Amino acid sequence: MQIDIISLFPEMFAGPFGQSITKRAIENNLLNVQITNPRQFAYDKHQQVDDAPFGGGNGMVLKPEPFFRAVKHIKDNTEFINRRIVLMCPSGQPFTQAKAKELAGYDQLIFVCGHYEGFDARITDHLVDEAISIGDYVLTGGELPAMVIVDALSRMLPGVLGSAESAPTDSFYAGLLECPQYTRPREYHGFSVPDILLSGDHAKINLWRRREALRVTLYARPDLLEKIELDATDLKLLAEIKAERRGS
């Protein structure tokens, strides 16, 4: 997958993209990340990318020319057809695991990161395909959200994770939060690993894990249960969990 990021601060990406899973994905040619600074596409010698807003107001607004030209430059130098241009913006649609899976289906993603008081509306209305927000809060710029999204979607790419089963068991992947996990030692500070996980009965273990994922989701994020399709077994398990909860 080709990732292009348009950012006024390219140096911010060196650390996060030079570590862990993202680094391995890049080294294994599963992910190619390029950072483009829109300043190099400004018209004046000072490489100005912002200006005062028409009509007055506080702060500076990012100008359209450098960003339109930066996107055109990227398109002219890549041959992908299945691409998406994404704006990092507080007013965008909330980022979810479903959106990560959707974005992972493109051959090329172009992320547009902003700063200052926002973008000229011609960027948001006519340049990008969609705007995404990672939460209901304001950050200094779009770089951190872009890093979060690239990290999340890269896990969806075949071959990126060490185990093919790792991504499907992540929280939110299938709509539920992840079930509790345990490793050695079997006992620690008087707390023991559930016996079922040591039984070797994989059918019972899988049922236990599903039950616990439902339990965790019910207690922590019950709203998620309204967004997924539950089968008869899930509904039976939920009824048992709720009965236990009322009896506690």
Side-chain angles (χ1 to χ4, degrees):
M1 168 179 266
Q2 174 70 31
I3 300 288
D4 286 279
I5 300 174
I6 300 174
S7 168
L8 295 167
F9 301 96
E11 298 81 5
M12 290 183 65
F13 296 90
F17 289 171
Q19 304 293 327
S20 190
I21 289 173
T22 307
K23 177 185 178 182
R24 293 201 301 270
I26 294 171
E27 291 177 341
N28 293 330
N29 296 318
L30 300 172
L31 197 64
N32 182 37
V33 180
Q34 298 295 325
I35 316 296
T36 299
N37 193 330
R39 291 189 187 280
Q40 70 187 85
F41 298 98
Y43 285 112
D44 66 307
K45 65 179 181 180
H46 300 295
Q47 297 184 313
Q48 184 177 356
V49 296
D50 61 332
D51 209 336
F54 283 120
N58 296 323
M60 304 290 278
V61 176
L62 290 168
K63 295 163 59 68
E65 312 100 296
F67 289 89
F68 272 81
R69 295 178 71 196
V71 169
K72 183 178 185 303
H73 172 78
I74 293 170
K75 286 183 175 181
D76 289 346
N77 286 274
T78 55
E79 299 180 352
F80 300 99
I81 297 175
N82 183 27
R83 66 160 63 97
R84 191 81 169 163
I85 304 173
V86 181
L87 181 73
M88 301 292 94
C89 182
S91 61
Q93 293 297 309
F95 183 62
T96 63
Q97 187 67 31
K99 176 58 68 172
K101 288 192 282 186
E102 177 191 328
L103 293 177
Y106 288 93
D107 297 325
Q108 180 183 32
L109 295 171
I110 302 175
F111 292 98
V112 181
C113 305
H115 266 70
Y116 312 121
E117 290 300 312
F119 293 91
D120 182 291
R122 287 164 289 190
I123 295 174
T124 58
D125 294 344
H126 304 293
L127 178 62
V128 303
D129 296 311
E130 66 176 309
I132 294 179
S133 168
I134 64 167
D136 295 336
Y137 44 85
V138 179
L139 297 172
T140 303
E143 285 75 16
L144 290 174
M147 295 175 197
V148 168
I149 293 175
V150 171
D151 184 279
L153 70 87
S154 66
R155 298 175 61 84
M156 304 295 103
L157 301 178
V160 169
L161 298 181
S163 170
E165 296 181 354
S166 294
T169 59
D170 286 343
S171 290
F172 301 109
Y173 187 94
L176 298 178
L177 299 182
E178 187 176 7
C179 69
Q181 300 284 352
Y182 297 88
T183 187
R184 290 178 287 187
R186 182 171 179 173
E187 293 189 12
Y188 185 69
H189 282 191
F191 303 108
S192 300
V193 175
D195 291 337
I196 186 66
L197 296 178
L198 308 172
S199 68
D201 189 326
H202 294 292
K204 290 183 178 179
I205 290 173
N206 289 336
L207 184 63
W208 179 89
R209 285 175 171 164
R210 184 67 178 182
R211 179 190 179 99
E212 292 306 304
L214 288 165
R215 184 195 305 277
V216 171
T217 305
L218 176 65
Y219 287 1
R221 289 289 305 276
D223 57 297
L224 295 177
L225 295 173
E226 300 175 2
K227 302 175 182 179
I228 63 173
E229 185 175 347
L230 301 174
D231 61 22
T233 300
D234 291 331
L235 294 174
K236 181 175 182 294
L237 292 173
L238 272 176
E240 293 173 358
I241 294 168
K242 291 176 181 178
E244 292 172 0
R245 190 177 190 181
R246 288 193 298 268
S248 62

